[in-house]
Structure formats: C-alpha cells, structure tokens
Amino acid sequence: MTTGIDDGALPAAAPYAADPAAAPASWGPSLSPSGDTIAYVSDRTGEPRLWTSPVGGGNPVLIETGPEPVEQVRWSPRGDWIAVLIAPGGSDRTEIWVIRPDGTDLHQIGGFGRTNGWFGHWSHDGASLAVAEADAIGWSAAHLIDPSTGWRVTVGEADLRAALDVSRDGRSALVRCGPRSARWLEIVDVESGAARRLYPGEGEGSTDLGHFASDVVYVRTDVGRSLPALVAVPVGTDGAPRLVASRDDAELEYFTLSEDGTLAALLWNVFGGRSEVSLLDLRTGESRAVTDLPGDVVSHLSLAGDASTLALTAEGPSLPPTIWTVEVASGAAKPVTYPPPLPAASIVPELHRFTAHDGLELTGWLYPAGSAPGPAVIHFHGGPEAQERPVYNPLFRELVSRGITVFAPNVRGSSGFGRAFVNADNGEKRHDGIEDVRSCARYLLDAGIAAPGRLGVFGRSYGGYLTLVALTWFPDLFAVGVDTCGMSDLQTFYERTEPWVAAAAVSKYGHPEDDRELLRELSPIHRIDRLTAPLLVVHGTNDTNVPLYEAEQAVAALEARNAPVQYLRFEDEGHVLLKKPNRVVYVHMVADFLRAHLEPRRA
C-alpha cells in the first residue's frame, strides 16, 4: 500500500492535552544584545516559526517569515537583524533570510536556487553574517554577507568549506574544512583571500567548531586526545595551543563565548547522554557548574551581549523542548516558554550496558512497558554519529503506552563516547556495526526483556538503513520493521544525494568509486529477498539528503516479491518531519503498525 500525505489530507493536530505527539516544542534560542528579549523557533501553531518573547515574562510574538518552516535563528550583535534559516517544502536545500526584529524588511541573502545555505556567527559589529553554500554539482563556498545589501565577500571555495566566525577587527574569517571526523580550521584574510591552516597543524582527529577572541581562537577538538575538549590556539604564528577545559567522563559538545570574549559557556555530554553546563572565566580559569538545569538534555546555548544571561533549550523524556534562561550570577533558571501538562505518567528510561560480539561495551536506554518478556522494539538513531539520549520522543511514549518496550542503543559509530568509538564503524569496520544489531537483539532476548517472535526494529536515516540491515541480515530475529528515510543502497545513495553530503560521507562509508564492492556488500537492497517481516517504509518527497529513490526502490523490490510492505510518503516534507500535523500522523501510524504485528501469537 502506498499512501501520499499532503496538507489537505491531514487531520487537525490533536490538542496536546489529549495527545503528547502534538505537544508544542520550542528550541534554538538567540538572545538580543541587551538580553531582555529572546528569539527562537517554535511549532506551537503547527509548523516551526520564528518567535520572540520577553525574557522577563510576557506574551510571545510571531515574526512572520512566510509559509515555509524555520530551522534556525540568530540575533545580530547590534540587535538590528535576525538571521533565519528556512527550509522550503521541508527540504534540505535551505535558504538564508534576514528580518528586522519588528517584522519588517524580510529578504533573502543566501541559499538561492539549487544552492544549500547555512550560517555561522555574525561579525562582532553586525555588518556581516558568516555563511556557507553548496550547490547541486559539488561546488562549496564560504562567504561573509552584508545583511542590508546582500553584498558578499568569498573567503573560501573548495570541497566542504563553511564560514564559522569573523575576527573582532573584521579582517579575518574562520573557515571549517574537510569531511566528517577529519575536519580542520583555516584563517582567511578577508581582503586578500590568503588562507593558512590554523588547527590542527597535523595529527589525527577533528576540529569542527571555533570562535575568535582577542588574540586566540577557541576551538572544540579531539586532536591528540580521545574526547573533544576546549583548546586555545594563538592567532599568530607564535605560541602553542593550550588546553583550556577537558573532562575524562564527558565530551565537549558545544561552547559559546560572551561578546567581550571573557566568559565561555560549555555544554558537556556526559557518558550515557545526559547534559551538564559550566561557566568558565577565560581570564582566571575559574569554572562553576550550572546546577539548576531543568532537563536531562540541553542544547543551543546563547549568551546575552553583557553575559548576564544564558539561554538554552532543555528537554527530557517527559519534557518537550522548552526555552529557559539562566541568570549567570546566581545560576537560577526560569522558563521562557512553558512546558505543557502531559496526560500520561512520566517515563523514566534506564541506562543498560552490554557486550558486543567482539567484547566492546555498548549502552542503550530502555523504556520498559509492563512485565517482561513481552513485545519490544529496538530503535536505531541516525547519523551514524548521532546519539540516543534521554530526550522527549512522543513515539517512544506512544509505544510504551501501548505496552511495547522500547530499547534505544548506541552502537559503534555513535557520538558521545570518544573518537575511537565514533570511528569504530568506518569503512570495512561497518561489518562490526552490523554485528552490533544482532548483539542488541540477543541482549534483549537473553535478558528476558523481549519475547521471542515479538521483537521489532525501527529507525530514521542511518537508523532506517540499520532497520533494513536487521531485516535482511538477521531475518529470524525480527518480527516487524519501520524504515524512515533510510538508505537501501549505498551506491545509489551516493549517486543521488547532495554532493556535499556525499563528499562528507566518504570518511564514514567508503569512496563511491574506490570502494564500490564494499558499498554493494553493505547495501540491504542486494539481500532484499531475505526480508520476510512486515515492513513500513516512510519518506519525505523533498528529501535530498537521502533521496526518495532509496525508499521507492526498496518498496518496488518487495512488491515484486509480494512481500508485506506498506509505504507512507509525506509530500511536503524532506529528511526531517518539520510539520507537527505530519509528525502526529507519523507517530500514530508507526505505533499502529508495530502494535499490529507484535500482538501475542494465537494458536
């Protein structure tokens, strides 16, 4: 069965009091320079839009940017512009627009036509925005763009270039280069275009985030170490890089600096997946923890211009993404957007540890439902460098409410556990990642958590790929599966995905020409005759990251064999379901499908 979903066919989203899948979420805060107002993204009206709210309390204001979903916002240092990342049709070919905080002068400055756009930071005088663009034939460039006129200065043109920041005097740009897990930073002279490699000069590892201070660049890097840490790199040629902050039990996930460069807010991903935040005085080295965090997982740190206020997104298994502010002096946290009351009881996941086939320790979050053994599903995250963490997941809540236990593991290749772990599935080593799928299933069955014959599997993007892997490599272990925008053939994925996605993926999956036999061997489409379990395939028509062809060729191959397959296609979505009504439909259709095939078998 093939079902195409568009706006006209959708039921109205259920009130969140009756349906946790429709609970409003708010994320991605950016404080105004004065710190009294905050811009953010919220789907409270059904689609992600740009909103502002007074920090001290008051009604939120919708800033109209048109009908398309908003993905990211960033307030300029002078307060006269808000940069907005827009996803037409929910696709991955994003556009960069700017708008005045009062809702006037909306216009596009990047991501035109078939070019994808992203933005980094504003220059410190607010005169330009650091931007990256990549087009449909593989060209990539980093720019500094004037928000008023659209005038641009190109500061890098080559594979996989992205402008991150601008020096305080406006003379230098910081540009990120290279593929996933092997990135480096360059400093580019804005006037001449001359570039020099900043960090790392040599050595294995990746440096993918950086901010200018007065005479140094602060970077997040795992070069020369197993876990990402904060390092200060001199801007000039004199002096050696200096370790500023690191932990033995956590990765540095993100950091941001105050406008004067004296305070850093550090976001730590502690082993297992929970967040911690610390504030570091870069003059004295004094650090203190923010102890009043409202949720298990934090993201999107933003400091006010005077460093008096820190804004963040917080969420947890029973807390949808919500905007909070933290008073830097006292550490007191308060909500800007208010979490809705949820009808179901709180769900508290349990962190489990178990051993893979080769002795490597794996972990996973278990969301138990009822007495074991019983029906259970394994959820594989995307990436593969993403991570399962105790966040708000309405589909997990829905499944648990229907008596289905959910296990969300972090197989090798996941982030959050150090460089060796995230690279442990690269290239030929993906065979070990595939064996982790079997290890997860065996753990649930041997521990008496899942009942034999009542174990399912589902996932999105790379997790959709692992779902197809599970059903074709280990068909006897799984009774049902749901593949959401997964790759069915790594070769055709390379041929049809965005060129910048393909270039960045080589370090993970292998080269599309040099490793053709490996890619064929690792592709579920070539084992599709082994797939016998009922399968639901879900995809967005506008997906250019994992193109629709990956779903359609799998569905066609299964239909040709009269295999039990259903197909749900969202006509107005891309790689991620951005519209809340679509997500409500998705949650209930997936839960219905899994429940129908995990019912107790009758004699």
Side-chain angles (χ1 to χ4, degrees):
M1 179 186 74
T2 300
T3 305
I5 300 292
D6 58 30
D7 283 336
L10 283 173
Y16 63 77
D19 188 349
S26 301
W27 64 93
S30 181
L31 282 160
S32 65
S34 61
D36 60 355
T37 309
I38 191 166
Y40 56 94
V41 183
S42 179
D43 64 1
R44 56 166 57 94
T45 58
E47 293 187 9
R49 301 294 194 205
L50 165 62
W51 292 78
T52 62
S53 288
V55 169
N59 292 327
V61 176
L62 172 65
I63 308 296
E64 185 57 61
T65 59
E68 303 295 356
V70 172
E71 289 194 349
Q72 183 183 356
V73 301
R74 179 159 283 159
W75 216 308
S76 70
R78 291 190 305 211
D80 51 349
W81 292 105
I82 300 175
V84 185
L85 191 68
I86 290 177
S91 78
D92 306 289
R93 289 182 177 161
T94 45
E95 300 173 350
I96 301 166
W97 293 66
V98 291
I99 191 170
R100 301 289 187 181
D102 64 2
T104 62
D105 203 7
L106 173 68
H107 60 276
Q108 185 177 358
I109 63 170
F112 294 96
R114 292 172 61 81
T115 300
N116 298 40
W118 308 266
F119 54 75
H121 284 268
W122 289 93
S123 62
H124 292 274
D125 61 2
S128 62
L129 179 67
V131 166
E133 289 181 329
D135 70 10
I137 60 174
W139 171 86
S140 177
H143 309 288
L144 305 181
I145 300 181
D146 184 311
S148 298
T149 66
W151 176 261
R152 57 181 56 197
V153 176
T154 300
V155 292
E157 286 186 285
D159 287 344
L160 303 173
R161 293 296 193 266
L164 301 180
D165 201 6
V166 186
S167 63
R168 293 175 185 274
D169 60 11
R171 296 178 179 178
S172 301
L174 189 65
V175 177
R176 189 189 70 201
C177 315
R180 288 147 61 174
S181 301
R183 288 172 169 157
W184 69 92
L185 301 182
E186 292 181 353
I187 285 186
V188 180
D189 184 279
V190 173
E191 183 176 349
S192 69
R196 64 178 177 86
R197 186 159 173 157
L198 176 73
Y199 197 80
E202 58 184 16
E204 294 184 359
S206 190
T207 305
D208 57 4
L209 181 64
H211 294 301
F212 278 105
S214 57
D215 56 353
V216 299
V217 175
Y218 289 97
V219 305
R220 182 185 72 167
T221 182
D222 64 9
V223 173
R225 54 191 310 106
S226 62
L227 301 175
L230 184 67
V231 170
V233 184
V235 173
T237 57
D238 296 333
R242 172 175 54 89
L243 179 65
V244 176
S246 65
R247 290 177 56 165
D248 294 331
D249 65 339
E251 291 189 347
L252 179 63
E253 181 178 353
Y254 183 78
F255 73 97
T256 190
L257 302 183
S258 60
E259 186 62 24
D260 64 3
T262 62
L263 180 70
L266 309 181
L267 176 59
W268 299 98
N269 180 354
V270 183
F271 282 179
R274 290 189 168 94
S275 296
E276 293 182 8
V277 175
S278 60
L279 297 170
L280 174 64
D281 188 317
L282 295 170
R283 298 163 298 185
T284 65
E286 180 184 357
S287 178
R288 56 189 173 87
V290 176
T291 58
D292 195 19
L293 293 179
D296 287 327
V297 178
V298 167
S299 58
H300 307 116
L301 303 185
S302 173
L303 278 167
D306 62 0
S308 63
T309 305
L310 173 69
L312 52 83
T313 307
E315 63 179 307
S318 297
L319 175 68
T322 306
I323 305 297
W324 296 72
T325 58
V326 177
E327 186 180 40
V328 169
S330 67
K334 64 179 180 180
V336 175
T337 63
Y338 288 84
L342 297 173
S346 297
I347 58 173
V348 181
E350 307 162 356
L351 183 63
H352 284 227
R353 303 179 185 274
F354 59 105
T355 303
H357 67 285
D358 57 357
L360 182 68
E361 183 181 78
L362 303 178
T363 62
W365 292 95
L366 186 74
Y367 298 76
S371 59
V377 288
I378 301 174
H379 178 266
F380 291 109
H381 64 68
E385 302 97 327
Q387 183 184 3
E388 289 286 4
R389 306 178 71 177
V391 297
Y392 184 77
N393 190 312
L395 180 51
F396 289 7
R397 294 182 65 88
E398 184 68 22
L399 291 169
V400 169
S401 74
R402 299 189 188 204
I404 300 173
T405 291
V406 178
F407 186 56
N410 284 303
V411 296
R412 71 191 71 201
S414 304
S415 61
F417 304 91
R419 175 155 51 91
F421 194 87
V422 82
N423 291 332
D425 67 341
N426 290 358
E428 287 277 0
K429 293 183 286 188
R430 193 153 310 281
H431 291 102
D432 290 322
I434 289 174
E435 278 297 322
D436 285 351
V437 173
R438 175 154 51 189
S439 296
C440 292
R442 292 262 43 109
Y443 172 71
L444 294 182
L445 292 167
D446 294 345
I449 296 170
R454 301 181 67 194
L455 178 61
V457 59
F458 68 123
R460 193 191 72 81
S461 193
Y462 180 75
Y465 163 79
L466 283 188
T467 295
L468 296 176
V469 162
L471 299 176
T472 53
W473 263 258
F474 316 115
D476 294 339
L477 289 176
F478 298 99
V480 63
V482 179
D483 156 35
T484 301
C485 61
M487 304 94 78
S488 59
D489 187 335
L490 294 176
Q491 291 171 306
T492 57
F493 160 73
Y494 266 117
E495 292 166 2
R496 290 169 169 81
T497 189
E498 299 281 7
W500 64 269
V501 173
V506 168
S507 59
K508 295 302 297 181
Y509 302 126
H511 193 277
E513 294 299 331
D514 299 343
D515 299 309
R516 290 187 68 83
E517 289 306 313
L518 173 64
L519 297 176
R520 178 180 175 84
E521 181 182 338
L522 294 171
S523 295
I525 196 70
H526 300 299
R527 295 171 176 248
I528 205 72
D529 59 320
R530 303 188 66 198
L531 196 156
T532 57
L535 175 67
L536 173 62
V537 177
V538 184
H539 220 102
T541 298
N542 300 325
D543 191 347
T544 58
N545 187 324
V546 177
L548 186 65
Y549 183 81
E550 293 304 303
E552 299 204 322
Q553 67 177 338
V555 171
L558 291 168
E559 288 179 340
R561 292 168 172 79
N562 293 317
V565 61
Q566 295 185 33
Y567 183 24
L568 172 61
R569 187 178 66 248
F570 289 95
E571 304 292 353
D572 55 346
E573 297 280 10
H575 194 56
V576 178
L577 298 183
L578 297 177
K579 299 180 178 182
K580 187 192 301 180
N582 289 343
R583 295 202 303 271
V584 171
V585 170
Y586 171 78
V587 164
H588 290 282
M589 288 193 70
V590 170
D592 288 346
F593 184 82
L594 291 172
R595 181 60 181 159
H597 295 286
L598 292 175
E599 290 282 0
R601 293 182 176 177
R602 295 176 174 81

